[in-house]
Amino acid sequence: MTVEQNVLQQHSQKHQQTLLNQLREVTGTTDVQLLQQALQVSNGDLVEAVAFLTEKNAKVPQQDEATYYQTAQITNDRYISVGSQADTNVIDLTGDDKDDLQRAIALSLEESNRAFRETGITDEEQAISRVLEASIAENKASLKRTHTEVWSDSPNPHERKRMENCPVGLKNVGNTCWFSAVIQSLFNLLEFQRLVLHYSPPARMQDLPRNQKEHRNLPFMQELRHLFSLLVGSKRKYVDPSGAVEILKDAFKSSESQQQDVSEFTHKLLDWLEDAFQIKAEEDREGEKPKNPMVELFYGRFLAVGVLEGKKFENTEMFGQYPLQVNGFKDLHECLEAAMIEGEIESLHSAENSAKSGQEHWFTELPPVLTFELSRFEFNQALGRPEKIHNKLEFPSMLYMDRYMDRNREITRIKREEIRRLKEHLTVLQQRLERYLSYGSGPKRFPLADVLQYAMEFASSKPVCTSPVEDIDTTAPPGGTIAQLPPPASAGEQPDACVSAEGSGSGLQASQQQQQRVSIHKPFTQSRVPPDLPMHPAPRHITEEELRVLESCLHRWRSEVENDTRDLQASISRIHRTIELMYSDKSMMQVPYRLHAVLVHEGQANAGHYWAYIYDRHHQRWMKYNDIAVTKSSWEELVRDSFGGYRNASAYCLMYIDDKKPFLIQEFDKETGQMLSGLDKLPPDLKVFVEADNKLFEREMEEWDALQARKLQQEKLALAAAAAAAAAASVAVQPMSTEPCSPDNTAAPQHDPEYMEQQSPSGDSKHLQEDTERAISKAAAEHDEKSPEALLNTAMKVEYTRLLRLAQEDTPPERDYRLQHVIVFFIHNEAPKKIVERTLLMQFADRNLGFDERCKSIMKVARAKLELIKPDEVNMEEYEMWHQDYRIFRETSVFLLIGLELFMKKSFVEALMYLIYAYQYNKELLAKGPYRGHDEELIAHYRRECLLKLNEYAAALFETGEEAKVNTGLSIMNDLVVPCLPLLLVDEMEEKDMVAVEDMRNRWCSYLGQEMEPNLQEKLTDFLPKLLDCSTEIKSFHEPPKLPSYSTLELFERFGRVMTSLTMGRTPADGR
């Protein structure tokens, strides 16, 4: 048998298996023989096969439509917005024949319930995702993107400066997250990094390239060397990969804005690198068989052993990235087992050759870097569109490949046969257990032990002697409160009588009393159940002997069922454990591969975002490479984002490295064996290149610093001029003072905080003056004969006592006394005593204090005391820092106040920036102490609600289809909502924020399954990648809004009113 025949046979088998999978998904039929029969009858036509299966199962009992939607209802609130719209689209796709629809529903119910129990994802949710993803593919095929999203650099180069020992990121230059994810994964393979950095172009490269490969590959290698050198030694936080990306664009023959497939790009990249190193290898080893380092690093070999039409064959084949199917498997080993066996292989193990065909793959040589492609995208032939598979697939951090090696072929076959036998036994046990846990013959089934318990409870209930409908007075008015007596019974009528436990009381009297009580009960206004009605149904007549026999039987049966259930569960657990430990002996753990990198995709079939998790062996931790953002991560975060089944993120490519070859990830010089780091790893030409780039960046920072210094000087001059003009105006207006002016005062004027002293006796200063004068009056009333200094000390004690009492009160948010006085803020946050004393002294040194002689004398003493304070007594830097924190606290309060006021007025566009900055400022304050800011959860709630309201408003505008309204809606999303999403994603511990982001994304993804005008499809296709971008890097943001000036009293009162409104529930927000 030739290799070509073998390949054709493999292709035919894979095509048939694909048709079987699609037929199973469309019809819900799990019987493989029935599916194969349908394909044979229809000669491979999928539509005819579906019709055949539908007719064959037409007699299946149909489920009521209302019951179906009740059963299949999505319980997770996060997906309601998608499901409510996408459900309609899925039904429309089935056509107008409602009978066929009902039959399909009935067929799929049992399979749907089983799949939901195993994966936690309903078939309905899978169907919704398939429709959404398919629409993206259709839009991509018919439309051309006209705009690309490019990261904008911060104008401040210090914000783009690399932190010490932090890895360098890659700038997204237009939907190039796929490029960043692959390049970072390869760059962190230090053996690959060494090969690229020390690649020297062939000598003949000085001449014109001989062919197209040389014309393309050699310039690309030079750009890749430059890029890798910058990743090694750049002082920038991230670098620009445009040079290498530009060369790649032509190879893909697609628009520059289209996102590329990771596996496609990796294949292309490895092909180019292989060609480039092959050219060099041929030049270095003339006359000898050249060794290509790329082939040795990434390529392995396997032996294909099989039977075709009764004839055995063996072929050795080379592989690079090994493809694995995801659908239908729960972990990586299951995928590998399925990939290593194709078709019916019983004949391989038997002496007799049968007509069956199949083959096994056995690895003969594994590469140092073993890469698996997880096929999460597949074409749904029933819908005619591609779809993404969101199933959960687990993979280990350490993978032992012994069971797949050719040298272990016989041992593995024995173990596989044992596992097959155990799984058959396991299936029988699970079926038996299922009969105990789902007992009954109708659509609703219950655990048998519970059924027996319910029967026992029914039999043990107190018997009743009347029908459940006979004792209800249907003539009484529904809401009546007056008891209505029944008409007297005729002589021939004998009412039912029930003998009480005491044996007394007539039946008629009991019936009348019961009717009286029932008629008084008001079911719509009274939650109490009438006391005489039984809580549960009960038998009419049962004797003591019957009850005793029945209880004895039920107790015994229930005990037997529970014992059987426990035995079955224990047996199942033992078999699972045996299967798990089948390959755990040391002989099958000699080929260890450690997980090096995981490439993750989030989004739909043809739109989304890529990033990578890469293991840092030096620091023993996982790192997340998300374009320009490189952050510390964990195995738990990797599992959540990579296994699938959570949101729309899942691993797309796994890169394992041979754990017995440490040179792959160790930094050393191959010639000297010396450990290298930083610029020492670079060859001379690249070291010069990086140093030149670093000098350019340093010059950029110096120019920025000089520019900022000039701006600061200009601002100081402008402030000085404004102060001089204000002073001249004040001298011209106010009468000349008769008090002598101290030389110290003119030499070193006191710079009072704006909330402590102002130029005019109004606003904050007036409120503060009144408090100060009250304290002075109280001190004078207690000590009339004291000197000004003694009065000052007493007044300060009086004022501090008042403020301390305010600080110690347990007040609600609507009475936040920190807004009334800075010292309350200081007391809450345990400010140093010297800071509090100086602040209080500043209050009594206010020049605008009262005009009576007593206040003036106290003011002079206070100012004199301030001048006598030595620099070593009070740290003025610390003093300014505390007052700066209080200024930020007031600004935060104003941001929050205005944001909430606008939110309550439903001015969500205007409210958003105030709430955003309120949260950011408040978070910085709370980082210094728990009492420096406001309730973070409250601000986060209204920030989140505001974004959700804007998202709903923008979506409603988009749904109108009118050009102006659509543009307005997308403008709101692009300018306001999308820039704020990283703020919600940056703190992944806040689950509510992440849920809100998912809700917003799902709302817009739901439109993909709907028909719309081409221009709307183009706008939606252009917008979705921005919305689905998972980066937490803030690309551009609005300046904080300018705040109005509020006096202390006004701020305190308005803030209190807003908080009172929130407490009384007068806001449109829910869930608070």
Side-chain angles (χ1 to χ4, degrees):
M1 176 179 177
T2 65
V3 175
E4 289 79 9
Q5 289 173 329
N6 183 31
V7 170
L8 289 174
Q9 178 67 20
Q10 294 177 33
H11 179 75
S12 176
Q13 292 172 352
K14 288 183 178 179
H15 179 66
Q16 184 178 12
Q17 186 61 41
T18 301
L19 290 176
L20 286 173
N21 291 338
Q22 292 168 350
L23 200 56
R24 183 185 296 111
E25 290 182 6
V26 171
T27 64
T29 303
T30 57
D31 189 334
V32 177
Q33 293 182 349
L34 185 60
L35 293 172
Q36 290 176 341
Q37 180 186 357
L39 285 178
Q40 291 174 358
V41 170
S42 62
N43 292 324
D45 189 305
L46 198 63
V47 176
E48 292 184 9
V50 171
F52 171 81
L53 289 173
T54 304
E55 292 172 4
K56 195 172 186 62
N57 293 278
K59 296 183 179 180
V60 175
Q62 298 181 6
Q63 186 178 11
D64 181 73
E65 185 175 1
T67 308
Y68 163 69
Y69 283 109
Q70 185 177 2
T71 304
Q73 184 179 3
I74 301 173
T75 58
N76 191 337
D77 293 340
R78 296 170 59 182
Y79 299 101
I80 288 177
S81 60
V82 177
S84 59
Q85 298 181 44
D87 289 346
T88 306
N89 300 327
V90 174
I91 292 171
D92 288 341
L93 289 173
T94 64
D96 296 327
D97 190 342
K98 293 188 177 180
D99 292 336
D100 289 345
L101 172 63
Q102 291 299 321
R103 283 195 294 272
I105 290 171
L107 284 169
S108 64
L109 275 177
E110 183 176 354
E111 179 67 18
S112 299
N113 293 333
R114 184 189 64 80
F116 179 75
R117 288 196 301 270
E118 292 178 356
T119 65
I121 304 174
T122 65
D123 283 352
E124 185 182 15
E125 291 172 311
Q126 286 281 4
I128 292 170
S129 297
R130 286 196 291 268
V131 174
L132 301 185
E133 294 153 8
S135 296
I136 293 182
E138 185 177 274
N139 295 340
K140 283 280 190 178
S142 61
L143 299 172
K144 183 177 180 181
R145 295 275 303 278
T146 58
H147 172 72
T148 59
E149 180 184 5
V150 181
W151 293 74
S152 57
D153 292 326
S154 168
N156 183 356
H158 291 283
E159 295 179 2
R160 294 182 272 115
K161 185 178 180 181
R162 178 185 183 182
M163 296 178 64
E164 188 176 0
N165 297 326
C166 183
V168 179
L170 286 174
K171 182 180 179 181
N172 191 322
V173 292
N175 289 332
T176 56
C177 50
W178 48 274
F179 178 89
S180 302
V182 175
I183 288 297
Q184 291 282 22
S185 301
L186 293 174
F187 171 79
N188 282 277
L189 281 170
L190 299 185
E191 176 64 13
F192 180 83
Q193 183 188 120
R194 280 190 290 270
L195 288 171
V196 171
L197 291 174
H198 291 87
Y199 176 84
S200 57
R204 64 170 181 268
M205 187 181 175
Q206 307 298 331
D207 305 327
L208 291 176
R210 297 178 304 176
N211 53 47
Q212 183 180 1
K213 282 187 177 180
E214 292 187 13
H215 182 77
R216 177 194 63 198
N217 295 348
L218 297 179
F220 176 76
M221 281 300 303
Q222 192 63 23
E223 288 294 339
L224 194 61
R225 291 182 73 238
H226 287 165
L227 182 60
F228 272 30
S229 66
L230 291 174
L231 291 175
V232 168
S234 178
K235 293 184 177 180
R236 304 175 190 267
K237 180 181 178 181
Y238 56 89
V239 295
D240 190 332
S242 297
V245 172
E246 287 295 329
I247 299 175
L248 284 171
K249 285 178 182 176
D250 295 335
F252 285 107
K253 294 182 173 61
S254 62
S255 64
E256 64 182 60
S257 59
Q258 181 177 351
Q259 290 188 318
Q260 303 302 330
D261 181 88
V262 166
S263 61
E264 180 186 4
F265 166 65
T266 310
H267 280 299
K268 188 76 67 177
L269 176 65
L270 292 179
D271 285 346
W272 287 18
L273 292 170
E274 183 183 345
D275 291 342
F277 277 94
Q278 187 68 25
I279 296 170
K280 180 63 178 172
E282 290 173 355
E283 182 183 78
D284 294 342
R285 297 197 175 199
E286 294 183 2
E288 300 179 21
K289 186 177 180 180
K291 287 187 176 181
N292 192 318
M294 288 294 110
V295 175
E296 293 182 346
L297 193 60
F298 292 103
Y299 289 86
R301 289 178 173 79
F302 67 84
L303 182 68
V305 182
V307 173
L308 182 62
E309 297 178 355
K311 296 181 180 179
K312 294 185 177 181
F313 68 89
E314 287 191 5
N315 294 319
T316 300
E317 300 180 28
M318 181 178 287
F319 71 93
Q321 293 173 272
Y322 204 80
L324 297 175
Q325 294 296 322
V326 171
N327 207 6
F329 306 109
K330 68 177 183 180
D331 59 41
L332 187 62
H333 277 299
E334 284 193 2
C335 296
L336 276 166
E337 291 279 358
M340 304 298 281
I341 302 175
E342 296 180 7
E344 300 289 341
I345 61 168
E346 286 83 353
S347 57
L348 296 177
H349 311 158
S350 61
E352 299 179 1
N353 290 338
S354 66
K356 294 182 178 179
S357 299
Q359 64 174 304
E360 293 176 328
H361 290 176
W362 299 97
F363 292 119
T364 57
E365 182 182 347
L366 289 173
V369 181
L370 180 59
T371 306
F372 295 114
E373 294 178 10
L374 303 183
S375 301
R376 285 196 172 271
F377 296 158
E378 66 179 12
F379 190 80
N380 189 319
Q381 192 166 348
L383 296 175
R385 299 163 178 173
E387 62 184 16
K388 182 179 178 182
I389 302 169
H390 297 293
N391 295 357
K392 182 177 181 180
L393 183 79
E394 299 179 0
F395 49 84
S397 58
M398 183 68 76
L399 179 69
Y400 294 96
M401 296 294 293
D402 303 75
R403 70 185 79 174
Y404 311 109
M405 302 302 296
D406 183 52
R407 60 176 178 265
N408 297 323
R409 188 194 305 185
E410 296 306 320
I411 298 176
T412 301
R413 282 177 174 172
I414 293 172
K415 290 182 177 291
R416 283 178 180 171
E417 180 61 26
E418 177 65 14
I419 290 175
R420 185 190 64 79
R421 186 186 63 80
L422 287 172
K423 286 187 174 180
E424 288 178 355
H425 185 45
L426 182 65
T427 301
V428 174
L429 293 178
Q430 287 173 334
Q431 289 174 348
R432 290 178 181 175
L433 179 62
E434 184 69 15
R435 291 171 185 169
Y436 281 94
L437 298 179
S438 299
Y439 185 80
S441 57
K444 291 185 178 181
R445 303 188 180 195
F446 303 93
L448 180 54
D450 291 349
V451 172
L452 296 173
Q453 178 65 28
Y454 298 154
M456 191 183 308
E457 291 174 0
F458 174 78
S460 303
S461 299
K462 182 179 178 181
V464 295
C465 60
T466 60
S467 167
V469 298
E470 289 179 358
D471 57 350
I472 299 176
D473 182 8
T474 57
T475 62
T481 59
I482 302 175
Q484 301 292 329
L485 293 175
S490 63
E493 292 178 346
Q494 295 294 331
D496 293 339
C498 180
V499 179
S500 65
E502 294 79 15
S504 62
S506 68
L508 176 61
Q509 183 180 0
S511 177
Q512 290 175 345
Q513 290 173 350
Q514 189 173 16
Q515 287 178 348
Q516 286 179 333
R517 285 192 290 270
V518 172
S519 62
I520 294 173
H521 177 57
K522 295 175 285 187
F524 296 104
T525 60
Q526 186 173 325
S527 60
R528 177 180 60 84
V529 177
D532 288 355
L533 290 182
M535 295 300 296
H536 300 287
R540 296 280 190 88
H541 304 287
I542 185 169
T543 66
E544 292 294 334
E545 180 66 20
E546 289 172 338
L547 180 60
R548 186 170 59 255
V549 172
L550 186 57
E551 283 185 340
S552 174
C553 293
L554 289 173
H555 273 296
R556 186 177 71 253
W557 295 339
R558 187 169 186 268
S559 177
E560 292 171 355
V561 167
E562 288 177 342
N563 290 334
D564 290 346
T565 302
R566 279 194 296 268
D567 291 344
L568 285 169
Q569 291 172 335
S571 298
I572 289 171
S573 298
R574 282 196 299 272
I575 293 176
H576 276 302
R577 184 65 177 163
T578 303
I579 293 174
E580 289 174 1
L581 298 176
M582 187 64 68
Y583 295 98
S584 61
D585 52 293
K586 289 186 178 180
S587 63
M588 300 300 285
M589 300 176 70
Q590 300 301 309
V591 188
Y593 271 75
R594 184 177 297 276
L595 186 61
H596 164 70
V598 180
L599 278 64
V600 180
H601 175 269
E602 180 176 44
Q604 310 301 332
N606 282 41
H609 182 65
Y610 292 100
W611 68 89
Y613 290 101
I614 303 173
Y615 189 68
D616 183 348
R617 179 68 69 90
H618 180 66
H619 294 98
Q620 300 290 308
R621 69 189 179 204
W622 285 94
M623 301 291 291
K624 183 178 181 179
Y625 288 78
N626 191 353
D627 288 329
I628 70 173
V630 182
T631 55
K632 296 177 185 177
S633 186
S634 64
W635 175 253
E636 290 72 24
E637 182 184 5
L638 183 153
V639 166
R640 188 196 65 205
D641 286 350
S642 306
F643 279 10
Y646 177 77
R647 299 188 296 176
N648 291 329
S650 54
Y652 192 65
C653 183
L654 304 177
M655 193 176 289
Y656 284 88
I657 56 176
D658 192 335
D659 201 44
K660 292 186 175 181
K661 296 180 179 178
F663 70 89
L664 293 170
I665 51 174
Q666 285 183 352
E667 298 180 341
F668 66 93
D669 189 329
K670 274 195 171 182
E671 296 180 358
T672 64
Q674 182 180 0
M675 300 299 291
L676 301 175
S677 62
L679 293 176
D680 294 336
K681 297 196 296 185
L682 302 179
D685 63 320
L686 293 181
K687 187 179 293 186
V688 171
F689 172 76
V690 173
E691 288 174 345
D693 185 75
N694 286 340
K695 287 180 181 178
L696 285 175
F697 186 60
E698 289 173 355
R699 189 178 306 128
E700 184 182 353
M701 289 191 291
E702 291 171 359
E703 292 174 355
W704 171 266
D705 292 340
L707 177 63
Q708 298 308 306
R710 287 196 299 271
K711 287 183 178 180
L712 183 61
Q713 186 65 26
Q714 292 171 357
E715 289 175 0
K716 286 182 178 179
L717 292 174
L719 288 173
S730 177
V731 170
V733 173
Q734 295 180 1
M736 185 175 295
S737 173
T738 59
E739 298 294 333
C741 182
S742 169
D744 293 336
N745 286 350
T746 57
Q750 298 291 337
H751 298 285
D752 301 338
E754 60 202 17
Y755 45 83
M756 295 295 296
E757 179 178 351
Q758 295 187 5
Q759 295 295 326
S760 61
S762 62
D764 289 354
S765 182
K766 183 177 180 180
H767 176 70
L768 206 58
Q769 281 175 232
E770 293 173 355
D771 292 340
T772 308
E773 290 170 3
R774 275 195 294 268
I776 293 173
S777 299
K778 189 172 182 179
E782 295 176 3
H783 306 282
D784 199 23
E785 301 297 330
K786 282 199 172 184
S787 64
E789 184 174 358
L791 277 176
L792 172 64
N793 292 335
T794 304
M796 288 179 64
K797 289 180 181 177
V798 169
E799 179 68 357
Y800 180 78
T801 302
R802 181 183 72 87
L803 297 174
L804 180 62
R805 188 169 59 253
L806 293 179
Q808 291 175 340
E809 283 188 26
D810 186 13
T811 58
E814 51 264 30
R815 291 209 317 275
D816 193 339
Y817 289 122
R818 292 176 299 172
L819 293 172
Q820 275 200 353
H821 205 291
V822 62
I823 290 181
V824 178
F825 178 84
F826 287 172
I827 295 172
H828 273 233
N829 293 284
E830 300 178 351
K833 183 179 178 182
K834 293 290 186 182
I835 303 295
V836 175
E837 289 177 353
R838 180 180 174 86
T839 303
L840 196 56
L841 200 57
M842 291 286 294
Q843 176 178 333
F844 284 87
D846 185 359
R847 294 181 185 276
N848 294 316
L849 214 52
F851 293 101
D852 62 272
E853 292 300 324
R854 184 175 57 196
C855 290
K856 284 184 178 181
S857 61
I858 289 177
M859 179 266 290
K860 290 177 183 179
V861 173
R863 299 191 76 83
K865 280 182 175 261
L866 284 173
E867 293 165 9
L868 292 174
I869 296 177
K870 297 178 181 179
D872 58 345
E873 293 180 3
V874 177
N875 187 334
M876 290 306 295
E877 289 185 3
E878 186 180 15
Y879 176 85
E880 290 296 335
M881 182 197 72
W882 276 95
H883 280 274
Q884 175 64 19
D885 283 352
Y886 185 66
R887 277 190 287 269
I888 296 174
F889 171 72
R890 282 174 58 98
E891 288 181 4
T892 304
S893 303
V894 176
F895 277 126
L896 180 57
L897 165 68
I898 298 175
L900 291 176
E901 286 179 340
L902 291 170
F903 186 95
M904 288 188 288
K905 295 176 182 177
K906 299 187 179 181
S907 301
F908 303 121
V909 173
E910 295 81 2
L912 179 62
M913 281 302 108
Y914 288 98
L915 294 173
I916 289 292
Y917 277 97
Y919 183 87
Q920 295 303 114
Y921 284 18
N922 192 69
K923 189 173 184 179
E924 294 174 6
L925 287 171
L926 292 178
K928 298 181 179 181
Y931 301 108
R932 297 203 181 205
H934 296 287
D935 182 359
E936 186 174 26
E937 187 179 348
L938 180 140
I939 307 177
H941 171 80
Y942 285 99
R943 179 185 68 164
R944 184 169 58 246
E945 285 295 317
C946 193
L947 285 168
L948 289 169
K949 297 289 184 183
L950 285 174
N951 185 74
E952 287 299 313
Y953 177 61
L957 291 176
F958 183 82
E959 290 173 359
T960 64
E962 300 177 16
E963 185 74 18
K965 292 184 178 180
V966 168
N967 291 338
T968 301
L970 292 176
S971 177
I972 290 173
M973 295 299 296
N974 287 320
D975 297 341
L976 294 175
V977 178
V978 171
C980 295
L981 295 187
L983 299 175
L984 271 65
L985 294 172
V986 70
D987 185 8
E988 296 188 348
M989 297 303 292
E990 182 54 61
E991 181 68 21
K992 293 180 182 178
D993 285 345
M994 298 181 70
V995 171
V997 173
E998 283 301 302
D999 285 343
M1000 288 186 270
R1001 288 173 173 169
N1002 288 334
R1003 176 64 187 271
W1004 288 90
C1005 286
S1006 67
Y1007 295 134
L1008 294 169
Q1010 303 180 17
E1011 294 184 2
M1012 60 181 70
E1013 295 296 325
N1015 64 319
L1016 294 183
Q1017 289 182 335
E1018 183 174 0
K1019 291 178 186 292
L1020 184 63
T1021 307
D1022 180 65
F1023 165 67
L1024 273 180
K1026 305 173 189 177
L1027 184 65
L1028 295 174
D1029 187 353
C1030 298
S1031 171
T1032 56
E1033 188 75 18
I1034 301 174
K1035 304 172 187 178
S1036 60
F1037 212 67
H1038 299 265
E1039 292 293 324
K1042 292 184 178 180
L1043 298 177
S1045 178
Y1046 292 128
S1047 69
T1048 296
L1049 187 59
E1050 185 181 6
L1051 177 59
F1052 177 77
E1053 291 178 349
R1054 290 186 64 170
F1055 193 85
R1057 285 197 297 269
V1058 169
M1059 289 299 163
T1060 302
S1061 299
L1062 299 185
T1063 305
M1064 295 176 66
R1066 289 203 291 250
T1067 72
D1070 295 322
R1072 179 68 189 160

